[in-house]
Amino acid sequence: MICPKRTSELLDLHLAPFKDKDPAWEVGVSKIAGRGLMATRSIKRGEIIFKDMPLLISLSAHEEDSLNACSVCLRELPDTRFMCRIGCGLPVCSLCSKKKQHKTDCDLLKSWGPNEPEVANSVIIRLLCVARALNLNKDQRDLIYCLQANLDNNHRVEVRNAAKCFKNFPTDKKIFEIMNRTVAVLRTNGFDKTTDRTNDNQEFNYRALYPLFAVMNHDCIPNSYYTFEEKTNIMIVRAAVDIPEGFEITTTYTKLFTGNIARHLFLKIKRGFTCKCSRCSDPTEKGAYISGLYCRDTNCSGLVVPETTGLPHPSYNCLVCKQKSTHAQMMKSQDFASGAINAKANSNSLRTLVQYLNEKSDNFIPNSNYVVIDAKLSVLQRLGEGREDCSEELAANTRLRYSRDVIQVMDQLGLGESLVRTQLQDLLRREEERRAKRLAEEAEKQRKLAELQAKAAEADKLLAALEEAARAEEAAAAPPVAAPAPAPAPAATETA
Ligand SMILES: [Zn+2]
Ligand SMILES: [Zn+2]
Ligand SMILES: [Zn+2]
Ligand SMILES: [Zn+2]
């Protein structure tokens, strides 16, 4: 383990622009793994614990990404023709092409002689984040070496492949070593692959290393959460729950709503460790049954959960009839449900998907299962984007119902504050306000109607009284009328 004291010194240098006089954290020995961040005092839910800035940041340039963004300001460019005219092989906007950062990047990459500098190449653009490590000062580079790195067989592939895109790529072993190490640190503790750059639904599209964040250990029920300042890419880490003094401050490397087995595999393969947190040690996941499936016995309505935790292929047990199932059998159910729900999600009709989730999917997959939760979150997101085929009433009811459902799961899991919770609570509040407003408007309409009816009745009464008075007046003004004379009897002769 690298000395916590040296790490702290280097972190202090890195964080100098934000230096907090009384930081709520310190680097210490962790019970989870190696070294971690400890609370130096009690921290209230929602309080900012620290701000971190990227030591390295650049475009992620994944194969699926479009390459039309500036390599300095990271802003989108109108197309991919904005390649540096000097021939370094990087896309850059005209403003940034004059900046010091590009001058440094440009000198480095130009000296390596890119094969086709005028064409945007994802391998070169992606390498930039790593190559920038070569231009860091000694303390900054030491800080990279202080961070955990999973030095598996694959971490050398990237630089080796990138070398083929240049005519004079350096052959110096030290340069290779620094870049390979940076790749490993980015993969272990940074924001790198699509799958691990999203924390509770927040997309982070860059490849970046936040050193203080990188020191935090993982827990599947993290007690902190993070957001980014849009313009500066500064990371803000807040307490998700009240954190007592001396407790470790944790984050999560996985999505919040992934089942035990999927999280286990992800952490094992991508991050190289087995999580032993309270959620991972509980097959029911705190009674939230996120990976729960239905019993294969059609006469039993019990939920089936893994028998033990921490295994990639566990056996399963029905909680009601105790029937055992194999991993393969239960994965078949899970895959069937995922396939069926995804097919509806891809059908373009949001109404079809909502109806399916409300009426059908519960027949073969419990509502607690993460596939259903994910589908509900995607419905909420699509409703937020508009242009969907849902009536206003269905949209309103769905927003209310699904955000309550997901918040309930979060509560069950013991998840505190997070970006997704804030978004759901906002949605719920807005929807409840809209509903209250609609009810108030309806009540006001009714009140006005009743008022008008009362006025009309009043007017009717007044009219009747006036008519009555008029008749009385008429009667008083007219001369006394004699009793009408009896009609003369018809002459008998006339009818004859
Ligand atoms: Zn720019
Ligand atoms: Zn250039
Ligand atoms: Zn865990
Ligand atoms: Zn059963």
Side-chain angles (χ1 to χ4, degrees), residues 136-260:
L136 294 178
N137 65 36
K138 182 168 181 311
D139 288 334
Q140 289 172 320
R141 207 171 308 150
D142 283 354
L143 182 51
I144 292 185
Y145 276 77
C146 268
L147 301 174
Q148 203 112 41
N150 179 12
L151 301 168
D152 62 9
N153 294 332
N154 295 323
H155 82 283
R156 291 191 188 85
V157 175
E158 177 176 341
V159 180
R160 206 186 294 148
N161 283 345
K164 295 174 194 153
C165 301
F166 297 91
K167 290 192 242 357
N168 312 309
F169 200 75
T171 48
D172 185 338
K173 270 199 181 138
K174 183 74 196 154
I175 289 182
F176 261 85
E177 148 68 19
I178 293 169
M179 288 203 278
N180 284 336
R181 180 81 185 197
T182 306
V183 169
V185 169
L186 276 166
R187 285 161 48 140
T188 313
N189 288 302
F191 290 80
D192 200 355
K193 290 260 165 20
T194 325
T195 38
D196 52 334
R197 67 185 160 179
T198 147
N199 168 269
D200 87 36
N201 285 15
Q202 188 182 20
E203 280 281 308
F204 185 71
N205 297 312
Y206 313 120
R207 193 178 197 194
L209 180 64
Y210 289 84
L212 183 53
F213 174 77
V215 175
M216 273 202 280
N217 281 313
H218 164 91
D219 193 302
C220 298
I221 307 174
N223 59 16
S224 79
Y225 72 104
Y226 57 85
T227 52
F228 297 98
E229 266 179 23
E230 211 174 299
K231 283 198 180 120
T232 57
N233 286 317
I234 283 170
M235 174 192 269
I236 302 170
V237 175
R238 290 184 169 83
V241 291
D242 289 341
I243 306 174
E245 182 182 339
F247 271 55
E248 177 154 8
I249 304 163
T250 55
T251 184
T252 176
Y253 305 155
T254 68
K255 287 186 170 186
L256 296 175
F257 304 111
T258 317
N260 261 352

